[in-house]
Amino acid sequence: MLRHAFSNQRGQRRRGKFGTVLIALTMLASTSGCGLLSGEEESSNASGETTKVKVSIMPTIDLAPFHLAAKNGYFKEEGLDVEIVNAPSGQASVTKMIAGEVDISYSSYTPFFIAEAGKVAEKDGNIKIVADASSAAPGSTMVVAMPDSPVKKVTDLPGKKIAITGQNTICDTLIKSVMKTNGLDFNGIQWVDIPFPEMSKALANGEVDAAFMTEPFITQSAKTVGSVPVVDTASGPTQDFPTAGYASLGKFANENPKAVGAFQRALQKATVESEDRSKIEPLMVEFSKVDADTAALTKLLQFQSKPDPSRLQRVPDLLLEFGTIGQALDVEQMIAKATDA
């Protein structure tokens, strides 16, 4: 049995059918990931040799290094012509990948592991993690409430109405973890599916007692309706918890190891550069609906790039613990193999 401290148990994965997982992902609640960012990039290698790669993304802060790589020509330098396909949510992004509409999908990790647990195809259909994107930093993923809400601390959460983007996402997963750490029963929680941009209104109108938010929505909500933080979900077992990344189907990763390597190198260069916050805030203003003041106040996630199997293993282990997936997954077997150009 898995313990809450995240075991490294491995197991066999059951086979599933492509259509079943595609339907399941389509029905999952909307959006995983954080914040608001979007954009497009068109590139070509100086030598004329390029690899066209379609990438589905969402408007999230986690994608700041991706946009930085695009704007600074790092994909182009690696011989990649990146075509951006916008998706409204993490589940929609993964569904596009499974349907063959894109080569690489950006999403929170939960839909990737749910898809892998169901095995999307009999051959080369498994999920391969191409690159990491982010992990939860202190103050970047919070349960917030109005000052007059009955929810004022973590022990007030049981039985309350809590807004999340959807069940079986990073939202309820992090809340369940924090509650279990504090010896609380999360089974009585009334989960209310609400998109991030609409949560502040729901809080102000008393439709929910609390809401799980990520940045910049935490900062925006505080400014617009006066909500206050109640629980930092990036704490305890979920401190520095992996939140989002990039993945492809096994067929693409196995047939394009050079493209995978090029994508990783471009993102790594931009991720290192993203340590300079002054390079991220303008992207938030340019590609999102936040003003400069909000961008300056926003607590950023911890940007990542290299997929570390031991670190990422925490996600499916926690999903198995909560019954979100039915069998153990070995993340090391899911990391895409990359080669140099």
Side-chain angles (χ1 to χ4, degrees), residues 296-313:
L297 293 171
T298 294
K299 293 180 177 65
L300 298 177
L301 292 155
Q302 180 64 47
F303 298 124
Q304 307 283 350
S305 178
K306 183 179 180 180
D308 180 348
S310 62
R311 195 177 76 85
L312 298 183
Q313 186 66 47

Side-chain angles (χ1 to χ4, degrees), residues 5-198:
F6 310 105
S7 76
N8 289 321
Q9 178 183 358
R10 302 291 187 265
Q12 295 298 320
R13 298 174 292 226
R14 296 175 300 180
R15 295 180 177 227
K17 295 183 179 179
F18 177 94
T20 301
V21 174
L22 180 57
I23 293 172
L25 284 169
T26 303
M27 293 179 65
L28 280 171
S30 65
T31 206
S32 309
C34 318
L36 292 170
L37 285 178
S38 62
E40 294 187 2
E41 184 263 350
E42 212 174 289
S43 63
S44 61
N45 194 343
S47 67
E49 298 178 2
T50 63
T51 298
K52 184 89 170 182
V53 179
K54 288 187 177 182
V55 183
S56 57
I57 64 171
M58 298 181 298
T60 71
I61 286 177
D62 320 41
L63 283 159
F66 177 89
H67 293 298
L68 194 61
K71 289 176 68 68
N72 290 354
Y74 299 153
F75 290 127
K76 178 180 178 180
E77 291 173 3
E78 292 290 346
L80 296 179
D81 181 1
V82 174
E83 177 184 343
I84 289 176
V85 177
N86 290 302
S89 70
Q91 285 80 15
S93 181
V94 177
T95 298
K96 287 180 181 292
M97 175 188 70
I98 293 174
E101 297 177 23
V102 298
D103 304 305
I104 295 174
S105 165
Y106 163 85
S107 172
S108 77
Y109 281 113
T110 303
F112 290 139
F113 291 121
I114 290 175
E116 177 66 7
K119 288 300 286 283
V120 298
E122 295 297 322
K123 182 180 180 182
D124 288 334
N126 52 310
I127 303 297
K128 292 294 183 182
I129 298 172
V130 173
D132 200 355
S134 62
S135 59
S140 66
T141 60
M142 305 281 294
V143 174
V144 305
M146 298 301 291
D148 59 352
S149 168
V151 175
K152 300 187 183 303
K153 54 186 180 301
V154 66
T155 53
D156 296 329
L157 291 176
K160 299 300 192 299
K161 288 184 178 181
I162 302 179
I164 57 173
T165 59
Q167 293 189 56
N168 295 329
T169 64
I170 199 69
C171 304
D172 60 330
T173 299
L174 291 180
I175 294 173
K176 289 176 182 179
S177 178
V178 170
M179 291 183 68
K180 185 168 185 178
T181 298
N182 286 273
L184 302 172
D185 183 6
F186 51 75
N187 290 311
I189 291 288
Q190 301 175 61
W191 305 110
V192 182
D193 295 355
I194 301 176
F196 281 133
E198 299 174 19

